[in-house]
Amino acid sequence: MTANATDPELRVLVLAPTARDAQITARILRDAGVDCHTCLHISEVCAEIDRGAGVAIITEESLFADDKNMLGQMILRQPQWSDFPFLLLTPAREPSEEARRKMDILQHMTLIRRPVQVVELLSAIRSALRDRVRQYQVRDHLLERDRQAEALVHERDRAEAANTAKSEFLANMSHEIRTPMNAIYGLSQILGASKPLTAKQEQYINTLQTSANSLLALINDLLDISKIEASSVELERIPFNLAQLVNDVSSIISVQAKLKQLRVVIEGNLDYSSVYVGDPTRLRQVLTNLCSNAVKFTHKGSITIVIDEDGIDARGMRRVMLAVRDTGIGVTKEQIDTIFQKFVQADNSITRKYGGSGLGLAISKRLIEIMGGSITVDSVPGSGSTFTVTLPLQPGSPEDSRHAPLALTTRKNAAPARGRVLLVEDNFPNVLVAGTFLEEFGYSFDVASNGHHALEQLQSQYYDAVLMDVQMPKMNGWDTTRAIRELELRDSLPVIGMTAHALSGDRERCMDAGMDDYICKPFDPNELRTKLKIFIPQRPLPN
Ligand code: ADP
């Protein structure tokens, strides 16, 4: 016991009927190497147990003297791990009924009959102290467990806060980067179209455009992957025409394919009458990514987009298969296992030869999985690859068919759009970019540098459409659109938002404010042209 004798939590408390009894007991214990503390009153015993002690020696008489039940209350106060041991000195006779009831209060108690045998007392003390040591071990274990649980909660909170901060940082950075990128991208397009240019100037401008484009693609991919990782991808559920979506993607990649003299073929039945409800933007993103890869990694031959719409399952979903087949460099079996991971390319030479970041397939796979589908690859190195997307799509109702947006390609050969546009934009380079494109597409336009001016101009002039920046001082684009709708300035005035964000909530925010569509800055001139064509009735240009 001497090893623990100096530990205050293992002190032996002695409550003797008289000061003299206490002194004698204390001396015997100290001689035996037991650290003890004598108490004069039951209240002192209780206070010492609260402070920390190993065992208490009390007499039956002191139990009877405890008319305020201080011991009982102290025992109730004990933490769950504690079962404090008492040694109760009793007369040699059997305890009375009343004495038994009083003893029940003590719960963990050893009876020592008087006259006390020192050896017996010391043995009982050691046994009680060993038991108390085990209780302290349980306490320490519980404390450690609580401490670890607290640390885990703290770490989780920190990780969640860091993740939120990362998302906010990404959203803010995307805004900050995209706004000047809009100017860089747009002005490089304008410069590229201005003649005459020397061969060197043309080359510089081409490099400028390619760099701006790949930077933009990287920003978009980083935003996507961080949103996917933060599980904050919200899929849209809107009616769309799958055949048109496939056709649109095919038209877009045909431009890149033509430059490499590759043929683009669509195989399967393009049924323009079948409409689905889902997220066409995300599906288009996946298909475009697979097709761009096919073009990128194919040097001769063709790219085939295969579409196959299967039967309807028990949940009313149609199993749709979209495959992209190429005659390109292919990937090995081992590479197939890794190319869907983030930042992984088939081998180290890919970045040097083909560029890219290795994020496209990781994003595509996760998006298709979120939609409930899967992507598989079949490939023969040197002969080509087939990336196959299989996913369940919900067929749309006849009502949905009427709401499915028009295909970009059905209007391809229509007469050029003409009309008058109000450009609401406070940033001069952006005015220059958007204005130049508007003119180039044959529209006249006026500029309003804030929401209030826009409202004034709309009340005094006729416009066919409004191109509305959303982030403006004083009155932002969303509020201005709400005011346009509330004032009923014109029944069906098309308002197209221009946002510098690329986050999923932006579309809803624009639509909720009453906009008809939105375009993300820096915008692709063709996308702007197409949107204007959709919203402004076709009018031939005056000669
Ligand atoms: P990135 O194209 O930006 O490198 P991806 O995640 O889209 O990133 O593709 C990862 C890798 O998978 C590519 O770098 C390439 O090695 C391989 N890969 C993807 N598609 C094809 C394809 N059609 N043919 C050959 N290899 C491909």
Side-chain angles (χ1 to χ4, degrees), residues 1 12 25-35 55 57 87 112 116-130:
M1 220 66 269
V12 177
T25 319
R27 197 172 55 239
I28 295 169
L29 295 182
R30 280 190 194 117
D31 287 351
V34 174
D35 182 17
V55 55
I57 304 171
L87 301 186
I112 310 270
V116 176
Q117 302 290 315
V118 174
V119 178
E120 189 192 350
L121 179 65
L122 287 174
S123 157
I125 289 174
R126 286 186 178 124
S127 161
L129 286 179
R130 268 197 299 277

Side-chain angles (χ1 to χ4, degrees), residues 490-520:
R490 227 192 66 209
D491 207 355
S492 55
L493 174 67
V495 178
I496 303 172
M498 292 187 290
T499 94
H501 294 264
L503 300 179
S504 67
D506 285 338
R507 184 181 184 279
E508 284 74 13
R509 228 176 144 188
C510 289
M511 295 307 167
D512 287 348
M515 292 181 185
D516 300 274
D517 206 337
Y518 88 116
I519 186 160
C520 212

